[in-house]
């Protein structure tokens, strides 16, 4: 990272490494030592650590005892864990992220059942337990309250002396109407509300989006007056993870595939194709396409909805489609990754020139890594990793990105202020060894 010229790095702390049994057991001193070494080494090279407290993994005991995020007890556990991290690392960490992509986690773990604990119900999936229409709302509510309580603790006991800031990250796709009609244009607004605003509206405005209240009614949890006091305004910055732009179709007045025509989905259907034509160039993920305008559009959406709240683009990256007879050299000559980041940075620069308060950009990812359920099949990294030897080899994008960061300031990143960050992010080598 230092040789690249990056000045910031996102890392996630593994909750289980710090507290293997949550608040029901002891702090693991080896876990504290592990992250202290990472943080200290980053700072010794002039690299600012951006630290995420919860990136999907959690102590198994909390799932076994009370069902983890389905229980309000999880809020107490998260605050306890957060306090330990603030005490041990907060003297050096100036940028905290409470939870990475709660909206994606809720979708994959409690609607589709793809992520642990694997809860879902028909027609979304065939799991042994779960209710895809109800559980996601409960889980999100507990996550937002846990976030807000951790922020309250940080602000009251740590922020003044440690001088840091704290935020949250949303999975932030952009949508475009499938058809040029009012119903699909309304579907765009509804899709964004049921995804991004589901997380951010409570933390900035104090309540869930009106679009969700309208369609979910009393099944959507409510914040008490006391809760509203600490939930509203409980972030210092917004983290935007942007990978995809999709077409969206209204499912209120049109027939849709089973599952999309339900309140939990906001009655919208998303697709990457229109009349058989993809919205952009395909990538390794069948739902990710190269659509640079989506970056500018999603930043503008967040800017307009939240009165130009400070933002970081905390993830943006490209994984090439797997080719037949793929050669090793093909993986290193990643010209399409370079083109991707050039185009997306140009789109981001347009949004900044138009006034968006974007303070940094993180490439996903530094190294090819474990992409959750997709394993090692998707290669987002600037560095290739040989899985047999663990040797790390720079791809062509490394030379480009290094030149971009160290030599091209006046030409390429004049839109970014000096305080801003351009960097890399790598995580998830293994669930228990998250960087």
């Amino acid at each position: 990272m230092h040789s690249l010229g990056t000045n910031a790095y996102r890392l996630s702390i593994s909750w289980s490494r710090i507290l293997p049994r949550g608040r029901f057991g002891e702090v693991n001193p080896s876990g504290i030592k592990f992250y202290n070494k990472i943080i200290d080494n980053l700072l010794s090279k002039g690299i600012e650590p951006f630290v995420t407290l919860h990136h999907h993994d959690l102590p198994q005991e909390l799932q076994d005892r009370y069902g983890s995020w389905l229980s309000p007890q999880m809020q107490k556990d998260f605050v306890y864990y957060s306090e330990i991290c603030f005490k041990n690392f907060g003297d050096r960490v100036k940028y905290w992220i409470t939870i990475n992509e709660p909206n994606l986690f809720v979708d994959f773990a409690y609607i589709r059942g793809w992520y642990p604990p694997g809860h879902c119900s028909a027609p979304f999936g065939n799991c042994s337990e779960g209710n895809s229409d109800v559980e996601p709302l409960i889980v999100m509510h507990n996550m937002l309250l846990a976030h807000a309580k951790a922020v309250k603790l940080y602000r009251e006991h740590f922020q003044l002396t440690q001088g840091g800031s704290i935020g949250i990250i949303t999975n932030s796709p952009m949508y475009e109407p499938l058809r040029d009609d009012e119903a699909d244009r309304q579907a765009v607004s509804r899709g964004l509300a049921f995804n991004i605003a589901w997380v951010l509206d409570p933390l900035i405005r104090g309540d869930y989006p009106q679009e969700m209240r309208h369609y979910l009614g009393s099944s959507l949890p409510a914040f008490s007056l006391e809760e509203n006091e600490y939930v509203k305004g409980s972030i210092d910055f917004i983290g935007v993870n942007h990978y995809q732009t999709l077409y969206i179709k209204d499912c209120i007045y049109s027939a849709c595939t089973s599952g999309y025509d339900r309140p939990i989905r906001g009655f919208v259907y998303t697709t990457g194709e229109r009349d058989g034509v993809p919205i952009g160039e395909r990538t390794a993920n069948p739902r990710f396409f190269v659509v640079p305008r989506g970056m500018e559009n999603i930043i503008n959406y967040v800017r307009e909805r939240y009165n130009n709240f400070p933002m970081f683009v905390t993830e943006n990256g490209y994984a090439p489609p797997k080719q037949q007879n793929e050669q090793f050299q093909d993986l290193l000559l990643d010209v399409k990754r370079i083109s991707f980041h050039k185009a997306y940075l140009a789109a981001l620069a347009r949004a900044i020139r138009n006034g968006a308060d974007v303070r940094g950009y993180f490439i996903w990812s530094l190294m090819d890594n474990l992409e959750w359920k997709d394993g090692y099949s998707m290669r987002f990294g600037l560095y290739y990793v040989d899985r047999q030897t663990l040797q790390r080899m720079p791809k062509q994008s490394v030379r480009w990105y290094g030149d971009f960061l160290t030599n091209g300031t006046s030409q390429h990143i004049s839109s970014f202020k000096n305080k801003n960050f351009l960097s890399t992010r790598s995580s998830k080598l293994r669930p228990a060894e998250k960087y």
Side-chain angles (χ1 to χ4, degrees), residues 25 46 56 86 139 159 164 251 315 317 328 348 359 380-381:
H56 305 339
F86 296 150
V139 169
Q159 192 168 39
C251 296
E315 289 181 28
F328 170 70
L348 180 60
R359 303 188 177 188
F380 282 91

Side-chain angles (χ1 to χ4, degrees), residues 362-410:
F362 291 78
I363 280 182
W364 184 276
S365 58
L366 181 67
M367 295 177 285
D368 290 338
N369 55 32
L370 182 74
E371 291 297 330
W372 302 109
K373 68 182 184 63
D374 297 305
Y376 296 111
S377 64
M378 295 186 188
R379 297 183 175 93
F380 282 91
L382 299 176
Y383 286 84
Y384 171 85
V385 179
D386 185 316
R387 294 297 161 197
Q388 302 305 313
T389 66
L390 298 186
Q391 181 183 0
R392 304 162 185 175
M393 287 165 271
K395 302 175 187 177
Q396 189 170 333
S397 55
V398 168
R399 176 178 293 182
W400 167 77
Y401 198 45
D403 289 343
F404 175 83
L405 292 176
T406 58
N407 300 324
T409 303
S410 61

Side-chain angles (χ1 to χ4, degrees), residues 9 27 37 46 139 148 152 158 164 224 276 297 336 364 417 430:
Y9 180 68
V27 175
K37 288 170 69 176
V139 169
K152 184 174 186 289
F158 298 97
S224 69
N297 292 338
K336 288 191 174 181
W364 184 276
K417 306 182 181 90
R430 288 184 282 274

Side-chain angles (χ1 to χ4, degrees), residues 279-316:
I279 193 170
E281 185 180 338
R282 296 186 185 277
T283 72
N285 188 312
R287 298 276 287 179
F288 292 179
F289 300 84
V290 180
V291 190
R293 64 181 180 273
M295 172 67 83
E296 182 178 7
N297 292 338
I298 195 62
I299 293 299
N300 287 338
Y301 169 80
V302 175
R303 173 195 174 191
E304 291 166 11
R305 189 171 183 107
Y306 303 110
N307 195 29
N308 206 15
F309 209 85
M311 286 175 270
F312 290 90
V313 176
T314 37
E315 289 181 28
N316 177 235

